[in-house]
Amino acid sequence: MLVSIHTAFFTAEEHRRLVEEADSPHVGLCLDTANAFLVLEDPTDFATTVAPWVNATHLKDSAVYLTENGMDWMGGTVLGGGTVDIPTIVAALHDANPNINLTVEEHWGRSHVPAYDTAFLDSLPPASAATRAKFLRHLRRGREALDSGRVPSKATTDAWVLAAVLPERARANAEYAKALRDGL
């Protein structure tokens, strides 16, 4: 039996250290491909760092963008619709473990991250300039995706009737994931 620790609220390095300290072949990570945004990291760099310890996934695309109050995180766009480089992440995971199962997480929620709050920022470990620069690019691309309508607005998602929206999203996510699998 394997235990998978879901990646969220800790940096890639913190997750790596946690699994190394557990020092067990039965403990690994469930990589949520979009949660790196919650700690202001690039999802591809995050995934590459933890790939050797990933034994499960939550494939999820996403977008982040600045607001008046901080940063909004659209926690789930259809795969390929956000700013997460899912193909590169899947390739890195496959290289580390060719038998990995890819689980799509259907998530449509939006979260607020207090990106202007100094206490929040102080709670994060120091990061390199390269790490922050990559993250800032996601903020710009996320805003472009929101403004273009590629990422649904809060008003749009608030109006969704989930029983009507989720089946098409699930089909689109499954097709995207199958194409990734077949490309490997």
Side-chain angles (χ1 to χ4, degrees):
M1 177 180 295
L2 296 175
V3 174
S4 299
I5 300 165
H6 185 252
T7 59
F9 307 112
F10 296 107
T11 65
E13 281 300 318
E14 290 170 315
H15 281 292
R16 181 194 57 76
R17 277 195 313 274
L18 178 68
V19 175
E20 284 181 344
E21 287 173 16
D23 194 26
S24 170
H26 304 290
V27 176
L29 297 171
C30 174
L31 175 67
D32 188 311
T33 56
N35 281 356
F37 287 145
L38 298 174
V39 290
L40 312 184
E41 289 190 4
D42 172 72
T44 304
D45 289 347
F46 190 104
T48 302
T49 298
V50 300
W53 298 276
V54 173
N55 59 22
T57 63
H58 281 179
L59 284 185
K60 179 170 62 186
D61 209 340
S62 183
V64 289
Y65 48 88
L66 291 176
T67 66
E68 285 297 315
N69 299 314
M71 181 181 86
D72 272 4
W73 174 65
M74 175 53 188
T77 65
V78 173
L79 293 177
T83 68
V84 178
D85 188 352
I86 300 290
T88 299
I89 290 171
V90 167
L93 296 175
H94 181 263
D95 288 347
N97 177 5
N99 295 316
I100 194 161
N101 291 316
L102 302 175
T103 303
V104 176
E105 180 182 17
E106 176 53 68
H107 192 286
W108 62 91
R110 186 176 314 275
S111 296
H112 176 73
V113 178
Y116 304 141
D117 182 335
T118 57
F120 167 72
L121 295 172
D122 283 343
S123 75
L124 299 172
S128 71
T131 296
R132 292 298 181 237
K134 285 182 180 181
F135 180 75
L136 290 171
R137 284 188 193 96
H138 281 284
L139 290 171
R140 180 188 50 78
R141 290 195 311 261
R143 173 53 66 182
E144 290 169 355
L146 179 69
D147 291 346
S148 72
R150 209 175 80 233
V151 169
S153 69
K154 182 174 182 347
T156 298
T157 58
D158 286 350
W160 279 353
V161 175
L162 294 180
V165 173
L166 290 181
E168 182 52 39
R169 287 174 55 94
R171 277 190 286 286
N173 283 330
E175 289 299 319
Y176 189 93
K178 285 191 307 188
L180 283 176
R181 178 205 61 203
D182 295 348
L184 294 173

